[in-house]
Amino acid sequence: KFKKLYVLGSHRILNPAHEGPDTFFKPISELPFKSDYKIPTTYENLPKTEAEMMRLVCEQVLLPKDLEIIFIDTSLNQNSDSKTLQPNTTDTLRDFSNLNPIPGKYLLVSNQPFVARQTFNALSILPSEFTIAGIGDTALSTTPLRTFLDEIGRLLYEELKYQHQFSLSEKFK
């Protein structure tokens, strides 16, 4: 049992083809709506960002009353060319770390094929006093092959970075 839920999201603009009104207000068995939640009849003020969508989900679904929900809403980044970059897992985990969370056991929940890489990412960013277990539902059947291939490359990068980090820390003990 846990008392706090950290919801890590960002200012990433939603993709209306995959994250639109028909998905916002469609209850699923795994996340039943609160009995008093009223589905809007008009679609004004819909979430525009990932973080806003996550807040909407937490407002809709039945969660334990004593659960404390802490939202991490990571801003967009600007690179040296003044181009706006989407925040990534590293950015949201750094914002989480800046809250000075209590070291302990954390369950990282995402969806496939991203769980393994995001777990390695968390292990490389958070201090060793954090135990991270990653879980997630199966990938959607509509997930393109290029997403899986990209994720394999990113996972290998994170794993090598993680192994390198700990091999260096062993040398400096």
Side-chain angles (χ1 to χ4, degrees), residues 7-85:
V7 179
L8 281 64
S10 71
H11 286 195
R12 176 184 65 79
I13 303 300
L14 297 178
N15 178 343
H18 304 289
E19 304 160 317
D22 30 325
T23 59
F24 296 156
F25 305 111
K26 182 180 174 186
I28 59 173
S29 60
E30 295 86 2
L31 290 173
F33 281 3
K34 295 174 184 171
S35 60
D36 61 346
Y37 181 75
K38 303 283 188 249
I39 296 174
T41 55
T42 61
Y43 294 145
E44 297 172 15
N45 302 320
L46 289 175
K48 293 174 183 54
T49 68
E50 175 186 57
E52 290 173 359
M53 178 184 63
M54 295 169 107
R55 283 182 186 274
L56 175 65
V57 169
C58 289
E59 290 170 14
Q60 293 171 330
V61 300
L62 186 60
L63 295 170
K65 292 193 186 312
D66 61 340
L67 182 64
E68 180 183 358
I69 303 174
I70 298 109
F71 291 94
I72 311 296
D73 188 355
T74 301
S75 298
L76 299 173
N77 299 314
Q78 291 214 328
N79 65 13
S80 58
D81 299 339
S82 296
K83 291 183 181 175
T84 302
L85 302 174

